[in-house]
Amino acid sequence: MTTTAIAHKHLLINNEWRPASSGETMDVVNPATEEVIAAVASADASDVDAAVTAARAALAGPWGSLSARERGRLVRKLADRLLERVDEVSRLETLHNGKPITESRNIEIPAAAECFEYYAGWADKVMGETIPVNGNHLTYTLREPLGVIAAIVPWNFPLLLAAWKVAPALACGNTVILKPASQTPLTALALGEIAVEVGLPPGVLNVVTGPGSKVGQAIVEHPGIDKIAFTGDTSTGKAIMRSAADTLKRITLELGGKSPNIVLADADIDAAIRGATIGIFYGKGEVCAAGSRLLVDRSIRDEFIDKLTVRVKKMVPGDPMDPKTRFGAIASRKQLETVLRYIASGKQEGATLVAGGERTDIGTGKGYFVQPTVFTDVAPEMTIAREEIFGPVLAAIDFADLDEAIARANDTPYGLAAGIWTRDIKKAHYVARKLQAGTVWVNTYNIYDTAAPFGGYKQSGFGREMSAHALEHYTQIKSVWVDLNL
Ligand code: NAD
């Protein structure tokens, strides 16, 4: 077994590292080598219960009485310490997820740190208001924390998607139970270590690892948890919504996508080709907002696809730990099988394969590697045009005019993101308004900033992460009425 740098593989509950109460563990696999790199605790409902007890006690204890500014300082320390440990945490992210180390080191982990920094600044700026009501009253609002937040996150951006939830939750004065995906628990545990190092009081951040079917389910059903912040599959999101109804938990859901990337005939072709490539192949396509449907104006289609194919064929999967690698390993065997199944369905349903289409390796004979894949002549009703693949597979569809482009772009149950490539400023804004998506990128793709909200329309979920809007999802409002009649 290759050892990882992670010191703690137990559950973090009340600032103590404990094995699962059952003593069970689960293996973590490096998808680039297929080696087991760690065994972490596999918790069950009794561990969730212990975490809830700790998190509730922290609310009633020192955390609940800390001033907002002090809370902000602690959240800021999380950001600083994460950056001090950026090399080590990035290495863990790449080891369990298979993404290139350059993406972990230069993008994901710094973005997670920035998220803590951003919300640290909000801690003492979340405030109520005084309200001019009828009669002789002083009426004001208090914006209070919700209580215990459960953050349930997937395996594609394990630390960043945790930060999007943990940072605003803590800044607003809540306590947190973080449940990472079974495949990628290591960086959540590293965040737990950092929380203890910087002096977060016991119970404020708890990290509980284990399968979604067991730990996730126990979290969703637990009456001591006030809100679920979830990112993951749309079907899991629907199941969570149903289960959470019994205890009427608040929920925010960031779910799947099948995002359109539209190229109009007047676009800067080279820029659009770069954007189409980054849109689908960044993060191996395991990106909820991936531009997985490329909609190209029929008049430029042949030139566009030819140039795109040349570019894509140069993208070769490599060792994720090598700083020169730009395309890594699919995150798990299960996901590899899913991606290969969709590629087979594209071939079978009559799409034209112009790049990739096969499992590959990096000379070691090991690892879950797939070639970046492009299909053209994709009809809108084909499976690869409709279902989220969550892998490096691009479905190119053509259109005759702007109305058809918009209709096709919106012809999906999802609505997470969309891209539009054009030099015509009027068309850009016109299309941006017509698209049913939570984010629209114009002449760019796959860019994010902690200050800008992110989330879904339609079945891509509801609620917004990042930005000031997320604060609404981690607070509740109390109206206070004071009689001033003398
Ligand atoms: P998943 O739904 O299988 O798992 C997500 C998390 O939920 C994991 O921690 C898992 O253990 C847990 N879980 C599973 N079943 C559960 C249950 N019944 N109750 C509670 N928790 C449960 O998703 P995944 O395969 O890890 O991630 C891929 C999906 O995530 C894709 O659909 C992708 O589009 C989506 N995603 C969305 C966004 C976004 O911001 N909208 C971002 C990243 C990923």
Side-chain angles (χ1 to χ4, degrees):
M1 183 196 283
T2 318
T3 51
T4 65
I6 188 94
H8 295 100
K9 303 185 185 85
H10 289 338
L11 312 171
L12 179 64
I13 296 175
N14 212 27
N15 279 6
E16 292 162 11
W17 295 97
R18 310 179 188 173
S21 56
S22 65
E24 284 183 28
T25 60
M26 57 183 189
D27 288 343
V28 181
V29 172
N30 177 345
T33 63
E34 301 180 41
E35 284 176 313
V36 173
I37 49 171
V40 302
S42 180
D44 62 21
S46 65
D47 300 302
V48 170
D49 201 44
V52 172
T53 303
R56 296 222 78 84
L59 280 174
W63 182 248
S65 45
L66 214 58
S67 74
R69 194 154 303 153
E70 271 305 316
R71 238 177 22 233
R73 283 196 192 113
L74 280 171
V75 176
R76 174 66 203 228
K77 282 185 184 171
L78 286 172
D80 294 343
R81 186 68 185 131
L82 188 52
L83 279 185
E84 282 166 21
R85 291 181 59 175
V86 62
D87 287 331
E88 172 206 343
V89 178
S90 304
R91 189 170 163 273
L92 291 174
E93 197 75 315
T94 287
L95 279 175
H96 65 186
N97 167 280
K99 67 179 65 188
I101 190 71
T102 44
E103 288 183 13
S104 300
R105 174 65 184 79
N106 300 328
I107 301 173
E108 186 188 345
I109 308 305
E114 193 177 89
C115 182
F116 283 106
E117 181 187 348
Y118 174 84
Y119 284 106
W122 268 114
D124 60 0
K125 296 165 196 74
V126 173
M127 55 185 98
E129 58 210 340
T130 52
I131 304 174
V133 294
N134 283 335
N136 199 9
H137 296 98
L138 167 64
T139 304
Y140 64 95
T141 59
L142 295 172
R143 193 169 268 277
E144 298 184 332
L146 284 170
V148 178
I149 310 292
I152 303 181
V153 295
W155 43 259
N156 60 335
F157 288 83
L159 191 71
L160 183 61
L161 297 179
W164 286 5
K165 299 163 181 60
V166 175
L170 296 182
C172 293
N174 303 279
T175 56
V176 176
I177 298 171
L178 170 60
K179 199 222 88 59
S182 310
Q183 300 87 338
T184 54
L186 303 179
T187 43
L189 293 168
L191 184 65
E193 284 181 2
I194 288 170
V196 177
E197 283 171 7
V198 303
L200 239 60
V204 173
L205 175 64
N206 307 277
V207 184
V208 179
T209 52
S213 54
K214 203 161 50 163
V215 179
Q217 192 63 30
I219 285 174
V220 175
E221 288 171 2
H222 201 295
I225 293 173
D226 300 285
K227 181 219 158 97
I228 311 281
F230 173 78
T231 298
D233 200 68
T234 294
S235 61
T236 316
K238 289 178 183 176
I240 287 179
M241 196 165 170
R242 279 190 286 268
S243 306
D246 276 343
T247 44
L248 220 65
K249 287 184 179 62
R250 309 302 184 257
I251 47 176
T252 41
L253 302 174
E254 299 284 357
L255 308 174
K258 191 72 188 173
S259 299
N261 202 356
I262 307 170
V263 185
L264 302 190
D266 67 359
D268 174 340
I269 299 290
D270 291 332
I273 286 170
R274 276 197 304 279
T277 314
I278 291 166
I280 182 64
F281 297 122
Y282 173 70
K284 312 157 265 166
E286 295 164 349
V287 177
C288 49
S292 51
R293 289 184 299 145
L294 178 69
L295 303 181
V296 188
D297 188 297
R298 203 162 291 152
S299 67
I300 57 161
R301 183 201 110 122
D302 290 347
E303 179 198 356
F304 193 89
I305 298 293
D306 286 351
K307 283 187 170 176
L308 176 72
T309 307
V310 170
R311 190 179 171 99
V312 173
K313 284 186 171 164
K314 288 187 193 144
M315 297 179 65
V316 181
D319 175 3
M321 293 306 284
D322 182 340
K324 292 195 288 297
T325 295
R326 294 291 175 270
F327 190 89
I330 300 298
S332 67
R333 176 179 295 279
K334 185 163 167 262
Q335 189 59 20
L336 172 78
E337 286 163 2
T338 302
V339 171
L340 294 175
R341 223 176 20 251
Y342 277 113
I343 290 175
S345 106
K347 291 176 184 168
Q348 207 181 349
E349 291 180 22
T352 307
L353 181 69
V354 293
E358 301 292 336
R359 183 178 180 178
T360 183
D361 72 54
I362 54 168
T364 59
K366 292 276 181 194
Y368 311 135
F369 295 93
V370 172
Q371 294 171 329
T373 296
V374 180
F375 282 104
T376 60
D377 304 317
V378 177
E381 60 279 3
M382 286 181 189
T383 308
I384 57 167
R386 305 213 67 78
E387 295 184 13
E388 182 182 46
I389 300 173
F390 217 55
V393 182
L394 182 63
I397 302 167
D398 35 81
F399 61 83
D401 57 38
L402 201 56
D403 287 342
E404 189 186 355
I406 294 165
R408 292 206 161 168
N410 288 336
D411 180 21
T412 167
Y414 295 113
L416 193 56
I420 162 92
W421 297 82
T422 176
R423 288 190 168 101
D424 183 328
I425 192 166
K426 285 190 183 174
K427 280 186 186 162
H429 289 293
Y430 175 79
V431 176
R433 285 174 185 220
K434 292 281 180 191
L435 291 171
Q436 296 159 356
T439 294
V440 175
W441 286 296
V442 179
N443 295 331
T444 184
Y445 206 94
N446 252 342
I447 57 165
Y448 307 86
D449 191 290
T450 321
F454 182 75
Y457 276 31
K458 302 198 282 188
Q459 292 194 30
S460 289
F462 49 79
R464 290 293 176 270
E465 298 204 287
M466 304 194 283
S467 80
H469 294 284
L471 300 167
E472 292 154 27
H473 301 305
Y474 293 94
T475 52
Q476 53 195 341
I477 294 173
K478 181 182 283 172
S479 293
V480 181
W481 290 71
V482 183
D483 182 0
L484 296 183
N485 290 302
L486 291 176

